[in-house]
Amino acid sequence: MTCPTILIIDDSQAIRLAVREVLGQAGFTICEAADGEEGRRVIEERDDISLVLCDVNMPRMDGLSMLEMVKADPRNAELPILMLTTEGEPGMVRRARDAGARGWIVKPFQPELLLTAVRRLAVSAEARAAK
Amino acid sequence: MKHLVPGEHTVLVVDPGEGSRAILEGRLKAQGYHVLSTGSPAEAASQALAEPPGAVVARLWMPSISGVQLCHLLKAEAATAHVPVILLGTGYTPRSRFLAEHAGASYVRAGAMGAVLRTIERAIMEAPPGDGFFTMLGNMDVRDRIAAELDRRLFDSMLAAEVRSLAACESFDRLFDQLSQLLCRQCPYGWVALSTASGDRIGVHAHPSGHEAAVAAARAALGLPDAALLAVIDEDARPAAEGDRVRTTVVHVGSTELGTLAIGADLGDPEVVCALELVARELGVPMRVALLVEETRKLALYDPLTSVMNRRAFIGHMSRPEEAHRATTLCMLDIDHFKAVNDSLGHAGGDSVLQAIGRLLGELSRSQGGVPCRWGGEEFLFAVPGRARDGGRALGETIRQRVQKLELVAPDGSLFHVSVSVGVTIGEQGEPLLHVVNRADARMYQAKEAGRNQVMAA
């Protein structure tokens, strides 16, 4: 079985490292981007991404704008995207859901919960891709 | 008919009382539901958000976080807005039911186990399916989140109450003036505008710098280049900014559209959008009241055929202190042989004569001042403030000649003319209006007796 690849988009290197640590140990392959613009480019160029974790407040392009842009492309309709952020205002969360995000995780996150959520989504995404 | 398969659904039970919680949990499991249970409302909230269940059943009164508060939070969150909440009360108290239903929950008495189970089953069957979206709160304090949500609701209700209180305004102009004062205290904007559904009027509030551009933008946004404008220009609006965009929202009561509210502002600011949506939602009733009061006033005071004041409005107008405390030059005019016009051209022909004279007096009023009135039948009054030196003869002549020059079109397309007999008098300061009218009336009869189409003045 291949290891699903997870893209983490966050301008904080500390968060990227923490995610790499938690998910890497669990056997996932991790790739990184430091802002929405870079994240969008990675999603555009690579076809092996099983799941995206994305911050909201970032320079150049914020996470919600990136989400809306990526989801506007029908090729990404099935790509699970989780927002990983310190924000939690209900209006913002609604905007993310309406744009097609699959979940909203407030930082600082509990590692085992993050892992549960990622496993649930990445594995089903893999299974879909395999069909 | 759809049947519920309990094994496909999770019910989250929230009850700090271990005994009652165990009983409910047991009954639900016996029905076949998958059951999660906790005594802590905060834990229940985190759990429900992270994995939205089929239903949440909670005690209405719990220490630290009430069932009502828990329900408000779950309904506000994207992950759980669709999840039905059933609140259990200790007895039949109408207020508990009101609080629960107002929060979007069902209310059942805790002791009535049969009713509790039926309510859960029905709620799950009627709930829209979830899409799997979840929220993990991490270390965020559920209590803080609930407090923020309740604060937001409190502010929203306060703003809604303020908007509804605009029903006391009684006119479109006053309504818009007060509305802009209220709205500019909610969020910054370059301009805000309100139009009537008939498209005849538009109010715009903008900053003095560049207000002409703001008015043009508002007119364009509402598609009303020519509507009568009420401009409120002051520094409570901010100057227009580069990134401002336009948003319009229809104002209605039920299915009746009353107008459109538009704003030019930074729409990336969620407060702007929230304030605009809330104000538009609540503005329907006050706007309807204002327009109805205006319409009623117009119907009560203006003659519907000729659009000049009716007798009641004229008496009211002339009785105001500023009018009663000065002399007045008053003309009474009566259309000559009006019965013959009606007989030969029909009532539609007669009406068109009355309308033409109403229009003529309206134009005269605008060009040189004075108040026209349809006193009754084919009699009109025209009052000009002050004592005319010639006793009002020149004014009476102007009216008589203009009427004579009117080119009227009969129903068969042919042109015809009418004439009026005019009586003029001076009403002295403080003299009862009806005395003055009677004197003008007597002069008008003298003009009739002298052969019609002439002016009789003092």
Side-chain angles (χ1 to χ4, degrees), chain B residues 9-17 20-25 27-29 33-41 43-45 47-48 52-62 65-68 70-71 74-75 83-89 105-113 115-124:
Chain B
H9 302 279
T10 301
V11 177
L12 176 58
V13 176
V14 197
D15 186 345
S20 50
R21 189 169 78 233
I23 293 173
L24 180 57
E25 195 178 336
R27 291 296 296 269
L28 287 167
K29 279 183 174 158
Y33 291 107
H34 182 56
V35 182
L36 293 169
S37 84
T38 169
S40 152
E43 197 182 299
Q47 169 72 43
V56 174
V57 188
R59 282 273 172 184
L60 192 143
W61 301 114
M62 293 185 284
I65 296 174
S66 74
V68 173
L70 175 64
C71 183
L74 296 179
K75 293 294 170 188
V83 175
V85 178
I86 294 100
L87 294 179
L88 307 178
S106 308
Y107 175 83
V108 199
R109 241 171 358 104
M113 190 55 80
V116 172
L117 295 174
R118 278 196 303 279
T119 306
I120 293 170
E121 182 180 346
R122 196 174 54 239
I124 292 175

Side-chain angles (χ1 to χ4, degrees), chain A residues 7-53:
Chain A
L7 169 64
I8 164 76
I9 311 169
D10 200 307
D11 56 328
S12 151
Q13 197 185 12
I15 294 288
R16 295 200 304 268
L17 277 176
V19 171
R20 186 179 276 283
E21 174 105 5
V22 173
L23 300 182
Q25 274 179 6
F28 292 97
T29 309
I30 308 295
C31 63
E32 299 179 17
D35 61 55
E37 183 57 53
E38 191 184 334
R40 198 181 61 82
R41 214 175 44 244
V42 173
I43 294 169
E44 177 80 11
E45 287 165 2
R46 294 179 60 152
D47 58 2
D48 61 337
I49 309 279
S50 300
L51 183 140
V52 179
L53 290 167

Side-chain angles (χ1 to χ4, degrees), chain B residues 150-402:
Chain B
L150 293 182
D151 270 350
R152 193 187 62 73
R153 281 173 177 265
L154 178 63
F155 291 140
D156 281 4
S157 343
M158 283 173 2
L159 178 57
E162 291 239 5
V163 175
R164 286 196 294 266
S165 75
L166 297 176
C169 284
E170 300 195 345
S171 80
F172 177 82
D173 288 6
R174 217 171 120 68
L175 175 83
F176 181 72
D177 187 52
Q178 304 262 312
L179 173 69
S180 60
Q181 281 182 35
L182 178 61
L183 201 52
C184 70
R185 284 183 284 137
Q186 304 303 319
C187 59
Y189 55 75
W191 56 264
V192 71
L194 179 67
S195 65
T196 54
S198 62
D200 59 344
R201 277 188 291 174
I202 175 172
V204 181
H205 178 214
H207 190 269
S209 72
H211 67 272
E212 281 158 0
V215 168
R219 280 188 182 283
L222 294 165
L224 296 172
D226 306 313
L229 173 70
L230 166 71
V232 179
I233 307 299
D234 61 36
E235 289 176 356
D236 289 336
R238 63 154 169 72
E242 187 80 359
D244 282 357
R245 280 182 300 142
V246 177
R247 189 178 174 112
T248 61
T249 312
V250 173
V251 177
H252 50 82
V253 173
S255 57
T256 309
E257 199 174 301
L258 293 162
T260 306
L261 186 64
I263 202 165
D266 173 11
L267 297 182
D269 178 351
E271 285 195 355
V272 174
V273 178
C274 285
L276 184 76
E277 296 293 324
L278 192 146
V279 168
R281 200 163 59 236
E282 301 295 337
L283 191 58
V285 170
M287 192 165 175
R288 172 160 233 188
V289 171
L291 295 176
L292 277 177
V293 169
E294 278 189 350
E295 180 69 17
T296 310
R297 214 168 253 163
K298 199 173 142 203
L299 287 174
L301 300 180
Y302 290 86
D303 174 45
L305 184 65
T306 61
S307 300
V308 298
M309 280 185 196
N310 63 20
R311 182 191 292 224
R312 177 171 36 178
F314 184 77
I315 292 173
H317 178 80
M318 298 304 285
S319 310
R320 294 185 312 167
E322 60 268 40
E323 301 296 335
H325 290 141
R326 62 181 173 192
T328 307
T329 303
L330 183 75
C331 300
M332 171 165 285
L333 44 145
D334 186 283
I335 303 167
D336 296 330
H337 302 298
F338 187 64
K339 187 171 178 303
V341 174
N342 269 335
D343 287 347
S344 61
L345 301 178
H347 284 282
D351 284 353
S352 72
V353 174
L354 294 168
Q355 283 169 327
I357 292 181
R359 250 193 322 274
L360 184 155
L361 294 179
E363 283 160 16
L364 200 62
S365 154
R366 283 190 292 279
S367 65
Q368 59 179 64
V371 180
C373 157
R374 186 174 176 205
W375 189 247
E378 64 268 31
E379 286 180 338
F380 289 84
L381 293 175
F382 194 79
V384 178
R387 178 194 300 277
R389 247 190 243 151
D390 63 349
R393 174 167 296 280
L395 174 64
E397 269 302 320
T398 304
I399 293 173
R400 187 191 69 78
Q401 287 172 20
R402 288 210 190 170

Side-chain angles (χ1 to χ4, degrees), chain A residues 19 22-28 105 109-121, chain B residues 136:
Chain A
V19 171
V22 173
L23 300 182
Q25 274 179 6
F28 292 97
I105 300 173
F109 55 86
Q110 290 165 299
E112 64 277 19
L113 288 181
L114 176 70
L115 197 54
T116 310
V118 165
R119 275 211 177 105
R120 208 159 63 199
L121 290 173
Chain B
M136 287 180 175

